Amino acid sequence: MDSIFLYSSMFLALLMVLSLYRGVFGPTVADRMIGVNAIGSKTTVLLILIGLVYHRVDMFVDIALAYAMLNFIAVLAASRYFQKRKGLYDEA
Amino acid sequence: MDVVVVLFLFAGLFFFTGGAIGILRFPDFYSRLHPAGKLDTLGLLLSMIALALFNLHHFSLGTVLTSAKIIIIVVFVFLASPTATHAIVDAGVRAGLGPWTKGEQRR
Amino acid sequence: MDGQGEEGLASKGSRTGSGNGSAGAEAQPRRLYFYPFFLTFIIMFVVWVFLSGKFDPFHMSLGLVSCAIVSYLSADLLFPSRVTKGAFGQWLRFVKYIPWLLIQIVKASLHVTYLVFHPRMMDLIDPRIIKFRSKLTSDLALVTFANSITLTPGTITVYVSVDGDFKVHAIDKASGDPLPGEMEAKISKTFGEV
């Protein structure tokens, strides 16, 4: 079972790299926010998988909860910040 | 029991894959939000159910609490994810991004 | 389109909260103020017990004190309306609404996943913005409706006004067509609006 969790974590990390492409090269700032949000929701699962691999789920579940909240607040703050700026679309 | 766990986990990973590929393939910002905000949410629900079930193998008070916390994460994400999606859409609308329609160049 | 986005979900929630909070606190007698405080306290304490997982007197008393402080400060945020009559039945109906929503989410997710993996995806999708007017009136029902639309893959709420004007971005014709339809009927039944 441990190896299944390990390979699932590696697969999730691969998916995060794919999302990172949108985060780095996205044509607009909003696209980058989408990429960062997608990475965050995958990280929440990844943290619990890491906890299961290390047999310390009770510790990692708190980290995952805090990370989910932090990700939500980060996206809200970023979108509030960038919607005040004009010319979002032109920024390549 | 293990079979159910693996089934749920792989279903979750399948939806995560759909989300990641969708972010890359869709033509513009609005349509990219569809896989990003929601396939990810469903994938998180399924894989978290699998992990919470697996965690209940050694049944005790501690593991029940840990599984309950995992379910709390799912509930929180189900409340937060539409709000985050709405915030991103709002930022895009105010910045004047027009939606992509059929036949245009992909952005 | 600029400027009118001011009436989004976030600002709507804060407006009702502050408006009802200041008006209700002066108009209503003191004993009614106790009820939302008590409910908030119970919810906070249940969450505390789940998160801490320690049952010795020291941690429990810490939890009691901090939950009391937090629920005193924010009792009017969680229950802004003070109208607690029939709230329990509403919650019960809301819990019955969730499984239907989950089934819809799974069905629509499979549709979007099919679109994502389709080789000729660009021919299949046909993004459009749909405008319609909802019959729902209360804030909670409108927010639930908007969040349900966003959670169902294939549709995203772009804009909601207090009066129930919706702008929805749909990925193709098939996922946009069933709106408002059945989901609105379910929600208006859940929140007791006819």
Side-chain angles (χ1 to χ4, degrees), chain B residues 1 8 13 16 30 35 37 42 46 48 51 64 69 74 78 83 85 91 95 98 100 102 107:
Chain B
M1 188 73 173
F8 268 102
L13 286 182
F16 269 132
Y30 290 97
L42 185 66
L46 291 174
M48 285 300 201
L51 299 183
V64 170
K69 276 186 213 174
V74 172
F78 257 74
T83 315
T85 310
W100 178 89
K102 222 181 170 76
R107 292 169 187 161

Side-chain angles (χ1 to χ4, degrees), chain B residues 25-26 34 38 94 102, chain C residues 116 118 121 123 150 155 169:
Chain B
R25 282 194 74 194
F26 274 161
H34 290 276
K38 299 170 300 188
R94 286 205 205 183
K102 222 181 170 76
Chain C
V116 165
H118 199 282
M121 180 261 312
D123 299 333
T150 307
T155 45
H169 183 270

Side-chain angles (χ1 to χ4, degrees), chain B residues 14-15 18 21-22 25-27 30-31 33-34 38-39 42 61 65 68-69 78 82 86 89 93-94 100 102, chain C residues 1-2 5-6 9 50-51 53 55 109 113 116 118-119 121 123 125 127 147 150-151 154-158 169 171:
Chain B
F14 172 70
F15 282 115
I21 306 283
R25 282 194 74 194
F26 274 161
Y30 290 97
S31 45
L33 268 173
H34 290 276
K38 299 170 300 188
L39 290 188
L42 185 66
L61 186 64
L65 276 175
K69 276 186 213 174
F78 257 74
H86 185 82
V89 166
V93 166
R94 286 205 205 183
W100 178 89
K102 222 181 170 76
Chain C
M1 197 173 280
D2 277 344
E6 196 67 49
L9 280 178
F50 267 124
L51 287 186
F55 297 101
S109 290
T113 318
V116 165
H118 199 282
M121 180 261 312
D123 299 333
I125 65 171
N147 273 6
T150 307
L151 267 180
T155 45
I156 290 180
T157 312
V158 176
H169 183 270
I171 189 86

Side-chain angles (χ1 to χ4, degrees), chain C residues 6-137:
Chain C
E6 196 67 49
E7 307 288 335
L9 280 178
S11 66
K12 201 155 78 78
S14 71
R15 167 136 47 105
T16 40
S18 64
N20 274 334
S22 59
E26 292 158 14
Q28 300 213 356
R30 182 76 181 163
R31 64 190 159 77
L32 278 182
Y33 191 72
F34 188 69
Y35 194 54
F37 169 78
F38 202 64
L39 272 180
T40 314
F41 181 77
I42 289 176
I43 294 173
M44 293 279 167
F45 196 66
V46 167
V47 173
W48 171 281
V49 168
F50 267 124
L51 287 186
S52 88
K54 291 188 168 67
F55 297 101
D56 51 309
F58 176 67
H59 286 93
M60 290 295 257
S61 57
L62 274 184
L64 283 174
V65 171
S66 42
C67 288
I69 293 174
V70 168
S71 41
Y72 175 73
L73 289 178
S74 59
D76 57 338
L77 283 180
L78 201 54
F79 298 99
S81 67
R82 300 270 155 75
V83 186
T84 40
K85 198 179 156 190
F88 186 70
Q90 186 170 313
W91 273 104
L92 216 62
R93 272 173 288 156
F94 185 68
V95 169
K96 266 198 278 184
Y97 168 69
I98 290 177
W100 181 82
L101 181 65
L102 281 181
I103 292 173
Q104 294 304 112
I105 289 176
V106 171
K107 273 201 294 196
S109 290
L110 285 175
H111 177 66
V112 172
T113 318
Y114 167 75
L115 282 183
V116 165
F117 287 117
H118 199 282
R120 290 185 300 109
M121 180 261 312
M122 296 294 275
D123 299 333
L124 284 179
I125 65 171
D126 185 12
R128 57 188 64 211
I129 290 205
I130 304 169
K131 293 177 191 167
F132 63 89
R133 196 179 183 88
S134 166
K135 295 191 295 286
L136 303 170
T137 49

Side-chain angles (χ1 to χ4, degrees), chain B residues 11-85:
Chain B
L13 286 182
F14 172 70
F15 282 115
F16 269 132
T17 316
I21 306 283
I23 292 177
L24 291 182
R25 282 194 74 194
F26 274 161
D28 84 319
F29 152 69
Y30 290 97
S31 45
R32 270 176 212 140
L33 268 173
H34 290 276
K38 299 170 300 188
L39 290 188
D40 275 10
T41 315
L42 185 66
L44 189 130
L45 170 75
L46 291 174
S47 42
M48 285 300 201
I49 286 176
L51 299 183
L53 276 179
F54 179 77
N55 193 41
L56 283 177
H57 262 230
H58 318 281
F59 198 83
S60 71
L61 186 64
T63 56
V64 170
L65 276 175
T66 310
S67 293
K69 276 186 213 174
I70 295 179
I71 300 303
I72 286 181
I73 295 179
V74 172
V75 171
F76 175 77
V77 168
F78 257 74
L79 288 175
S81 162
T83 315
T85 310

